Amino acid sequence: MKRLAVSALAALLLGACAGPEPRVPELRGTGDLGVVVERASGRVALVEHSHDTVLGRVEGLGDLSHAAIVFSRDERYAYVFGRDGGLTKVDLLTGTIAGRIVQAGNSIGGAISEDGRLVAVANYEPGGVRVFDAGTLAPVADIPTGSKVVGLEDAPGNRFAFSLYDSGEIWLADLGDPASPRITRFAGIGRQPYDALVTPDGRYYIAGLFGEDGLAMLDLWNPEAGVRRVLQGYGRGEAALPVYKMPHLEGWAVADGRAFIPAVGRHEVLVVDLATWTEVGRIPVHGQPVFVMARPDGRQVWVNFALPDNGVVQVIDVRSQAVVHRLDPGPGVLHLEFTPRGERVWLSVRDADQVQVYDTRTFERVSTLPAEKPSGIFFTTRAHRIGL
Amino acid sequence: MKRLAVSALAALLLGACAGPEPRVPELRGTGDLGVVVERASGRVALVEHSHDTVLGRVEGLGDLSHAAIVFSRDERYAYVFGRDGGLTKVDLLTGTIAGRIVQAGNSIGGAISEDGRLVAVANYEPGGVRVFDAGTLAPVADIPTGSKVVGLEDAPGNRFAFSLYDSGEIWLADLGDPASPRITRFAGIGRQPYDALVTPDGRYYIAGLFGEDGLAMLDLWNPEAGVRRVLQGYGRGEAALPVYKMPHLEGWAVADGRAFIPAVGRHEVLVVDLATWTEVGRIPVHGQPVFVMARPDGRQVWVNFALPDNGVVQVIDVRSQAVVHRLDPGPGVLHLEFTPRGERVWLSVRDADQVQVYDTRTFERVSTLPAEKPSGIFFTTRAHRIGL
């Protein structure tokens, strides 16, 4: 009882000084919190996945048509990267904006350093990477590139890796001394890198190429060896169908020593042996895969699809490497996110204005949350993962 | 300013009703919190690893001479399993005891279910596993075994795996329906299992044997195949020296597709290929290894040792599989814990009454915290990992 009284009082006081859209701040853990992007309205819904509820909403985040989100190392704050160059720090406990800057004219995403002290943003215009203090959002470093920057990822050792779309380069920036980044440039890595990922173990940075086939891979344990090409056939060149949407790379699933990768333009998920980086299998699926994501225990891989098949989700059993289940959540399944240990998965179903929550063993829908044109779903556990 | 005023007020009110040793509860994230066991005094220190400070202490936890700790899925509560059968739920935000029961006469550890709703305890006396509601600590299920229970681990699918010391069995308990566990028994798995682990991917349950050599392994993806023996030579039989302390199994490091395992009685860390479960190398180290733990990015493995070498810690570089650094933190290094992404490691140095924090790249000591005879260190990020 006293606890509630205190929270309510705190709410009034905080509400009075905490900026737009305050909600009752309660003393609570933050390990089960998350953010759902409500793309059309430039706001996010704050959610929790212990009881599957919406805790509040935060408006005024600008253009979220290609929003990326990372979390502070204490899992209290979300950093929202807007398409319009806005960087907003959202307090998940008070439901308020703790800081906001517009740091460039046109941005494509960001990352947070291993130690949680630096937030980096990849910019198209002006092309480059800007680095900010995670606490204050004060500028720390500016890395102009003369090119659109894509595929910005954090890497172990307080490094950031990113790709230059126009000049076909990968840069590795060591921010051990934040004020003066040490840059290692890798040129001629391939035409028009368009996205990238860091493998979940933090070892490999891999860029997809729009201008040619194959993937550019940098071994972060051995950058001296340079960037090498893997999966030569991977890309639009192999497409048997028009490519409706280049698949996301960050969603790559790694399970049982293998990577499960969305084929480009084909109704297939590729299976790649991570020891040799060679393709060892292809799994036929319902449409052109967009996100191919492994349940945290690696036993299942869940796949959503590009138009016209984006109303379907399929589940691949990793042991048998076959599709074992199909869901029809409704049109516009844009993203999925597993609970930290994988017992549940959340799906954003844009055209139903819903987030649907499924039990990953029974495949039953256990909850439905209202959300306005939801796109990305991000849980705070990402704060403790590499390359997310 | 108002935030502080509110916190202070909340502190007074909460303090008045929150039980022993309340501390100022502030609205804060819980992703950077942890617990350090102060073994001799039956209490824990509450810590945070963003600024390396002690936030408070909680007393009255009974016999912590072999304490294990798990965390609630929201990362607010720690469940402390005492040697005396006590199970205490500690609120990390208020620094108070949220619940405590003495559920058996003699206990050896516990686990929390994948969904975070069940806490299970392994008991020697009476032998068996008892399962409690994680919210209320109300009893949910009782699984008598007629044997001392060791190596209780959570497994994907709301299952618990554990081993029977006296009868040489492994039991797999499915708590999909918590009130009526479905038990699968595996008999004749080997003499006197004494500890166990679940691999970080949640796939394998592996028990160490005190009564004979080799390890008993259950593939949780394929339990129908039964328990098989791996690493036949592993155990005291190979010991070239008296065994001062059987190494902990839960600390097993998995990195780069290999497991790094403490040899028993030898000054070696064994390297095991996880595809074949065969030994592929041995790394000479300073003493008899106790904990062999991988930095979260898998690039380093840190090792501490049994008497008389427990004042030394060595660091193995996974790529070269050689020791690259030695630290001398002081006598009685009992445990180590990495920050979630691995930029720092915390060491408990019992005889110095210190917890020492090191940068894992420069190997410099960056912080020292006072702690009374510290043993285990546990960070809340464990809430989101399998088998911890």
Side-chain angles (χ1 to χ4, degrees), chain A residues 6-318:
Chain A
V6 171
S7 297
L9 175 52
L12 291 173
L13 294 176
L14 283 172
C17 65
E21 292 244 325
R23 66 182 169 82
V24 177
E26 56 177 323
L27 209 59
R28 63 160 297 146
T30 55
D32 60 347
L33 298 183
V35 170
V36 175
V37 174
E38 295 185 315
R39 184 174 178 160
S41 39
R43 68 182 186 187
V44 295
L46 308 182
V47 298
E48 59 79 29
H49 55 69
S50 290
H51 308 287
D52 303 345
T53 61
V54 175
L55 298 171
R57 287 186 161 79
V58 178
E59 317 245 356
L61 305 180
D63 176 1
L64 301 186
S65 60
H66 190 288
I69 289 176
V70 298
F71 294 96
S72 61
R73 72 191 303 288
D74 66 358
E75 297 185 330
R76 173 173 181 169
Y77 300 98
Y79 299 90
V80 182
F81 305 95
R83 195 72 182 80
D84 54 5
L87 167 59
T88 312
K89 182 179 181 180
V90 173
D91 184 335
L92 303 178
L93 285 173
T94 61
T96 58
I97 291 176
R100 173 169 167 83
I101 56 175
V102 176
Q103 56 81 46
N106 189 314
S107 166
I108 194 63
I112 187 163
S113 62
E114 178 184 66
D115 67 6
R117 287 166 171 70
L118 302 171
V119 174
V121 193
N123 293 321
Y124 276 6
E125 188 48 52
V129 170
R130 285 183 171 155
V131 182
F132 301 89
D133 180 289
T136 63
L137 301 188
V140 171
D142 189 1
I143 307 172
T145 58
S147 162
K148 291 197 196 72
V149 173
V150 299
L152 172 63
E153 303 287 341
D154 65 270
N158 262 25
R159 295 176 297 176
F160 292 104
F162 49 92
S163 298
L164 278 50
Y165 179 85
D166 304 303
S167 54
E169 297 177 49
I170 290 174
W171 289 18
L172 187 59
D174 182 334
L175 277 85
D177 174 3
S180 57
R182 292 208 320 276
I183 310 287
T184 310
R185 297 173 58 156
F186 302 91
I189 60 104
R191 283 199 303 281
Q192 298 171 316
Y194 73 96
D195 192 11
L197 71 111
V198 166
T199 50
D201 61 3
R203 175 157 184 181
Y204 299 102
Y205 177 82
I206 298 161
L209 303 172
F210 193 78
E212 60 188 278
D213 290 346
L215 295 164
M217 182 179 80
L218 178 62
D219 181 351
L220 296 167
W221 285 16
N222 187 21
E224 305 72 30
V227 174
R228 71 182 238 239
R229 193 67 56 90
V230 295
L231 296 176
Q232 295 290 355
Y234 185 80
R236 295 184 306 159
E238 77 163 13
L241 302 161
V243 179
Y244 295 109
K245 180 171 175 34
M246 289 299 278
H248 270 268
L249 293 185
E250 197 172 277
W252 269 23
V254 172
D256 197 24
R258 291 168 170 198
F260 294 76
I261 303 174
V264 180
R266 288 176 177 275
H267 293 187
E268 294 172 334
V269 169
L270 311 183
V271 185
V272 174
D273 181 324
L274 286 179
T276 60
W277 282 97
T278 54
E279 181 181 316
V280 293
R282 297 188 169 209
I283 301 168
V285 290
H286 175 73
Q288 295 185 10
V290 176
F291 281 102
V292 175
M293 300 181 76
R295 197 172 68 178
D297 70 346
R299 180 61 198 270
Q300 293 176 348
V301 168
W302 289 57
V303 188
N304 73 332
F305 303 101
L307 282 168
D309 300 309
N310 69 4
V312 173
V313 170
Q314 286 183 311
V315 182
I316 294 169
D317 174 71
V318 167

Side-chain angles (χ1 to χ4, degrees), chain A residues 3 9 14 27 30-31 49-50 73-76 114 117 154 221 319 341 343 361 381 384, chain B residues 3 9 14 27 30-31 49-50 73-76 112 114 117 154 221 319 341 343 361 384:
Chain A
R3 172 75 51 77
L9 175 52
L14 283 172
L27 209 59
T30 55
H49 55 69
S50 290
R73 72 191 303 288
D74 66 358
E75 297 185 330
R76 173 173 181 169
E114 178 184 66
R117 287 166 171 70
D154 65 270
W221 285 16
R319 191 167 132 212
R341 294 215 232 164
E343 74 278 12
R361 263 166 304 283
T381 187
H384 296 160
Chain B
R3 172 72 52 78
L9 175 53
L14 282 172
L27 208 60
T30 55
H49 54 68
S50 290
R73 74 192 301 289
D74 65 358
E75 297 185 329
R76 174 173 183 170
I112 188 164
E114 179 184 66
R117 286 165 173 70
D154 66 88
W221 284 16
R319 191 168 132 211
R341 293 215 227 165
E343 74 276 15
R361 261 166 305 282
H384 296 161

